[in-house]
Amino acid sequence: MTGHIYREVILEQHVRLFRGTMGAEFLFVDGNASPHRANIVEKCLQSEDITRMDWAAYSPNLNPIEHMWDMLGRRIAARQPPPTCLPELRRALLNEWCNIP
């Protein structure tokens, strides 16, 4: 993904509209990926008056999905017997995902 694609597909088609419904209290959160920090993205956010939350350079502990991936990985690692091929791994992942409380 490039900064141009990120702006056109994510910011203009989704974030801008969502911000419009949320109003002035809207705070945008994205990652520190290069496309997110491109000049064209910065200009778009400024022109739309969208405030972005600052993130540390590497902060997976602040990203809820990272905790889910960790939990899923631990559940797969604890399986006896462990998956031995891709179809078994796929079934195990789907099964474990569905059983996460």
Side-chain angles (χ1 to χ4, degrees), residues 9-38:
V9 175
I10 305 300
L11 297 181
E12 292 178 357
Q13 293 182 24
H14 300 286
V15 175
R16 185 173 54 87
L17 298 174
F18 190 69
R19 188 242 186 246
T21 61
M22 295 298 296
E25 298 299 314
F26 180 73
L27 180 63
F28 182 58
V29 179
D30 64 2
N32 280 324
S34 297
H36 301 173
R37 298 297 180 231

Side-chain angles (χ1 to χ4, degrees), residues 2-72:
T2 65
H4 288 279
I5 294 171
Y6 183 70
R7 183 196 67 189
E8 292 171 12
V9 175
I10 305 300
L11 297 181
E12 292 178 357
Q13 293 182 24
H14 300 286
V15 175
R16 185 173 54 87
L17 298 174
F18 190 69
R19 188 242 186 246
T21 61
M22 295 298 296
E25 298 299 314
F26 180 73
L27 180 63
F28 182 58
V29 179
D30 64 2
N32 280 324
S34 297
H36 301 173
R37 298 297 180 231
N39 287 335
I40 194 168
V41 170
E42 296 291 340
K43 289 177 184 174
C44 177
L45 292 173
Q46 288 175 0
S47 71
E48 295 291 334
D49 196 29
I50 295 174
T51 303
R52 181 192 324 210
M53 180 178 151
D54 292 327
W55 281 78
Y58 180 71
S59 54
N61 58 323
L62 298 177
N63 188 343
I65 196 65
E66 296 300 332
H67 297 287
M68 296 299 294
W69 295 141
D70 179 60
M71 183 186 303
L72 189 59

